[in-house]
Amino acid sequence: MGHHSCCNQQKVKRGLWSPEEDEKLIRYISTHGYGCWSEVPEKAGLQRCGKSCRLRWINYLRPDIRRGRFTQEEEKLIISLHAMVGNRWAHIASHLPGRTDNEIKNYWNSWIKKKIRKPTTPSSTSPPSAELINPSYNSNNQFDAFTSQNMPPASATSHQDAIFPYHCPLFMFDTSIGDHNNGGNIGLSSEVWNPNIQHQDQAVHNSFFAYNTSSMDSNYLPPLVDGMAGMVQIGEDGDPINRECFEKQDVSGWVETQNYPSLLIWEQIQGELVGDHDLSSTTSSNIERMAAGSFPSSQ
DNA sequence: AATATCGACAACCGCGGAAAT
DNA sequence: AATTTCCGCGGTTGTCGATAT
């Protein structure tokens, strides 16, 4: 018994932090830095568990923290990132300097409540209706998911639109969609068909179309909206039909990725190095860039 | 005027996995 | 190699002032 190491001290304090406690924690961390939270309470003279100290520091006392309302740019980023990765708050927060996962999570939860306000569609459980219509483009002729034209009408208060309110058409072709069940396939398909995303956020699939080329004839392409942004993976062992299908589409911007040379290709197009040499993270950042509209136009 | 509800933040909890023993 | 401790994450609850009833 007594295994909860962080709380097995007799007099652990909980609840809101007092200014005195804050001061103690700040003084200790700023002189010693942090590394081992479990020993912080004792050394700093705090009747708290290490976990509580960590939380207080990370979410509030940290000097480089950013306070105040989210800017419009931050909001857009949160929305598009959430559409891509779901409730991975820490991941989303890593793209917003000075913001914490807790803050973003709180923001999202209250925001979603606001949007879901009176979702009373009395007639029936609303049909999929993921209509992607007449997307508009910015001055660079790129799709801009966040202009008013690309937003659903204000009347559309479905749960779906509340989660992902922008019509942001993205697509990809790839083989072996579904291989993630076997633990393999670190390519595009596993990103899109990630079980977390798939189950957490159905709306993603109405905005992100993945087509399995292993069961597809390039003469019979699925109907895509003009100007969609897409991504194709052409591995050395890859299926050439991926590229074939892709090139027949009329898209505003695209990028190729390959198993390992993918970064070189990306670099060539974008003129900068993105991420490390892990294809999975490279893929993530590519998807996020597409969602953010900073996708290069290259055909 | 008293009380219920809301909204924003703040903090806690259990869990999974990493690290340490 | 097995067990314990620790850390970070995401879901959830708690706090409290503002607003509504």
Side-chain angles (χ1 to χ4, degrees):
Chain A
M1 52 158 57
H3 34 285
H4 277 252
S5 63
C6 88
C7 301
N8 61 4
Q9 257 188 331
Q10 210 49 277
K11 40 187 171 184
V12 278
K13 193 159 175 291
R14 306 160 141 206
L16 298 180
W17 280 63
S18 70
E20 292 77 20
E21 289 177 307
D22 282 347
E23 196 186 338
K24 282 185 182 176
L25 185 56
I26 290 174
R27 194 183 310 139
Y28 176 79
I29 299 290
S30 54
T31 59
H32 297 82
Y34 65 86
C36 185
W37 289 109
S38 54
E39 62 184 29
V40 165
E42 194 180 356
K43 295 190 175 179
L46 286 163
Q47 262 69 45
R48 295 269 181 175
C49 66
K51 227 173 165 178
S52 181
C53 294
R54 173 186 169 272
L55 198 70
R56 185 65 180 168
W57 177 259
I58 299 281
N59 284 342
Y60 196 79
L61 299 178
R62 218 174 72 209
D64 59 331
I65 202 134
R66 192 183 152 101
R67 300 177 198 278
R69 269 181 56 83
F70 287 105
T71 66
Q72 277 227 320
E73 288 69 29
E74 286 176 317
E75 286 186 9
K76 289 177 184 176
L77 197 49
I78 291 171
I79 290 166
S80 65
L81 287 175
H82 185 273
M84 293 301 111
V85 305
N87 296 359
R88 290 166 58 192
W89 306 116
H91 178 84
I92 294 175
S94 70
H95 292 263
L96 293 149
R99 302 293 191 180
T100 69
D101 54 350
N102 208 35
E103 192 179 11
I104 293 171
K105 179 171 55 181
N106 283 335
Y107 166 75
W108 183 265
N109 285 335
S110 58
W111 185 80
I112 207 82
K113 265 183 203 164
K114 213 181 300 177
K115 281 289 177 183
I116 280 185
R117 187 63 49 84
K118 55 187 171 189
T120 48
T121 313
S123 54
S124 64
T125 52
S126 55
S129 77
E131 83 272 31
L132 297 164
I133 42 166
N134 299 330
S136 71
Y137 300 89
N138 61 22
S139 53
N140 296 327
N141 200 31
Q142 291 176 329
F143 178 80
D144 181 1
F146 306 106
T147 60
S148 56
Q149 291 97 320
N150 291 334
M151 294 178 65
S155 58
T157 53
S158 69
H159 179 68
Q160 190 173 16
D161 280 336
I163 291 176
F164 186 58
Y166 302 104
H167 294 172
C168 184
L170 304 170
F171 78 96
M172 54 163 279
F173 292 105
D174 197 10
T175 56
S176 62
I177 288 170
D179 273 10
H180 68 272
N181 287 326
N182 301 324
N185 189 5
I186 59 167
L188 298 176
S189 6
S190 65
E191 288 286 338
V192 178
W193 296 93
N194 177 303
N196 289 331
I197 298 177
Q198 204 167 358
H199 294 137
Q200 277 177 0
D201 200 345
Q202 185 62 34
V204 171
H205 293 277
N206 295 322
S207 307
F208 202 141
F209 299 89
Y211 297 105
N212 188 346
T213 52
S214 61
S215 59
M216 183 181 291
D217 182 336
S218 71
N219 292 319
Y220 300 97
L221 294 172
L224 295 181
V225 176
D226 265 1
M228 278 180 117
M231 173 154 46
V232 62
Q233 180 182 24
I234 309 166
E236 290 125 31
D237 58 340
D239 193 340
I241 201 174
N242 286 352
R243 179 173 200 146
E244 205 178 316
C245 289
F246 198 94
E247 287 180 341
K248 289 184 178 178
Q249 302 298 319
D250 181 21
V251 296
S252 62
W254 58 282
V255 64
E256 296 178 357
T257 69
Q258 287 185 320
N259 285 341
Y260 282 106
S262 63
L263 272 182
L264 297 178
I265 293 174
W266 178 258
E267 207 172 8
Q268 192 181 354
I269 293 173
Q270 186 73 358
E272 70 173 282
L273 192 62
V274 181
D276 52 25
H277 286 271
D278 177 7
L279 179 59
S280 57
S281 71
T282 303
T283 303
S284 299
S285 58
N286 285 349
I287 289 174
E288 285 156 14
R289 273 165 180 271
M290 284 200 294
S294 64
F295 206 68
S297 189
S298 63
Q299 288 200 43

